[in-house]
Amino acid sequence: MVKGYKWARILILRRHANIARHIPETVLFSATNLQNMLEKHGDIIVKPNAGSCGIGVVRITESQDRYQLQRDNKVSTAENMEELANALRKRAGGRTLIIQERIPLAEVNERPIDARVMVQRKKGGDWSITGTLIKVAGPGFIVTNTRRSGGKVLPLATALRRSDVRNSAKSIQAKMEQLALATAWVLGRHYKKQRVFGIDMGIDKEGKVWLIETNFTPSVSLFRRLRDKSMYRRILRYLKPN
C-alpha cells in the first residue's frame, strides 16, 4: 500500500459502506488501469497522490481515436495509449498518481463547481460542521481551486440556485453535512491528532453528493472571501488552542 496522502485515506474510507458509495471509482496509476478506466468511464481524472491546490490534475477523454488531455485550461493530445501513459509518467516526475472517474459536476454559468466543507473539533470534543461554501472554477478550467483557476467562492444556497442541479439546496446541504461528519469520524480514528478536515465534495447534476478529497491543512482564507464572515469567525475560534 502506498502510505499517506489521498490513496491511504481512500482505502480507509472505502471500508465503510455509507461513505464508499459516495467515492468515485479510484485506482492507482498503471498503464493497464489507465486503459481499463478509460474504457469503463470514457472521462477520467489523473492526479498526484500527494498533490494539493489542483496542481498536476489532468482530465483525459477519448476523442476520434485520440486521447485528449486537459491540464488547467490547456489541451493537448496523445495518439495512442502508450504515448498517453508515457506523457502522464513524465509529468508526474516519479510521483505516485491515482486515477479517478470524472464526476459530471454541476455548473454555474458553464463552469464546474464543488463544495468545501470544514469539519472541526476541539480537544476531546465532537466533530462539528463549521463552514460550507461553493468553489466555482475559472473560465475554461477543470479545477475549482480559486487561486489556480482564477475562480470564485459563493454561499452554498446562492450557487445551487444559479446552477443546473435538479435538487433542493436544503436536501443537498443535509447530505453533505451527514457525509462530512461520517468522514471526519472515520479519519479521526486513524489520525487522532487531527482536529480539522477540509472536505471537498462534488455535486452532480442530479444532486448526488460525491466525496472527492480530504484536506488536512485546508485554507481558511476561502471563507474570508464571503460577504458573511460568520463562518470564517467560527472556523478561527475552533482553530484556537484549548
Side-chain angles (χ1 to χ4, degrees):
M1 183 182 83
V2 178
K3 295 183 178 180
Y5 304 113
K6 299 181 180 73
W7 181 243
R9 298 170 202 170
I10 288 170
L11 292 180
I12 291 168
L13 293 168
R14 283 202 305 213
R15 300 172 194 157
H16 300 263
N18 62 324
I19 299 173
R21 65 175 177 263
H22 295 278
I23 301 175
E25 184 175 4
T26 309
V27 297
L28 282 173
F29 176 86
S30 71
T32 299
N33 284 344
L34 180 64
Q35 183 169 356
N36 290 343
M37 288 287 280
L38 271 168
E39 289 176 354
K40 183 174 182 179
H41 300 289
D43 194 351
I44 61 173
I45 295 292
V46 178
K47 55 187 176 182
N49 181 46
S52 62
C53 302
I55 298 170
V57 176
V58 182
R59 178 186 178 184
I60 303 170
T61 54
E62 188 172 4
S63 176
Q64 298 178 342
D65 298 324
R66 295 182 178 183
Y67 299 100
Q68 180 174 288
L69 300 82
Q70 181 177 355
R71 184 175 182 178
D72 293 335
N73 59 349
K74 299 178 177 63
V75 176
S76 60
T77 59
E79 297 293 329
N80 52 56
M81 182 58 63
E82 183 179 3
E83 183 180 330
L84 174 63
N86 287 337
L88 292 169
R89 290 191 191 98
K90 184 177 179 180
R91 288 183 177 183
R95 294 176 297 172
T96 301
L97 298 174
I98 59 175
I99 307 170
Q100 197 167 62
E101 68 170 299
R102 182 180 179 272
I103 301 304
L105 294 175
E107 297 177 335
V108 170
N109 297 328
E110 300 184 344
R111 302 181 192 180
I113 64 174
D114 67 14
R116 166 62 57 84
V117 183
M118 294 288 287
V119 192
Q120 295 173 266
R121 64 179 173 183
K122 293 184 179 293
K123 190 174 182 179
D126 294 328
W127 290 104
S128 297
I129 305 290
T130 53
T132 304
L133 55 70
I134 292 290
K135 297 173 289 173
V136 184
F141 277 75
I142 59 170
V143 296
T144 59
N145 181 274
T146 57
R147 185 178 301 175
R148 190 162 189 84
S149 73
K152 61 183 178 180
V153 298
L154 291 171
L156 176 66
T158 300
L160 294 181
R161 187 172 63 248
R162 297 179 186 175
S163 76
D164 54 359
V165 176
R166 293 183 286 274
N167 208 332
S168 73
K170 187 175 182 180
S171 171
I172 290 171
Q173 182 167 6
K175 294 174 185 176
M176 287 170 45
E177 291 184 352
Q178 183 179 28
L179 178 58
L181 288 170
T183 299
W185 184 82
V186 169
L187 289 179
R189 294 172 62 194
H190 290 265
Y191 304 95
K192 298 184 184 300
K193 294 182 179 180
Q194 193 69 23
R195 290 175 51 189
V196 57
F197 294 111
I199 302 176
D200 287 335
M201 296 187 180
I203 306 163
D204 66 26
K205 299 179 192 299
E206 301 301 321
K208 180 174 178 177
V209 173
W210 295 87
L211 181 59
I212 304 297
E213 206 162 284
T214 54
N215 302 281
F216 280 26
T217 55
S219 172
V220 177
S221 62
L222 286 174
F223 290 86
R224 190 172 57 197
R225 294 170 59 181
L226 294 172
R227 180 176 298 177
D228 181 351
K229 301 293 191 291
S230 58
M231 287 188 290
Y232 175 65
R233 290 192 292 268
R234 188 180 187 203
I235 290 166
L236 291 183
R237 286 198 299 272
Y238 268 76
L239 290 175
K240 291 181 180 178
N242 288 5

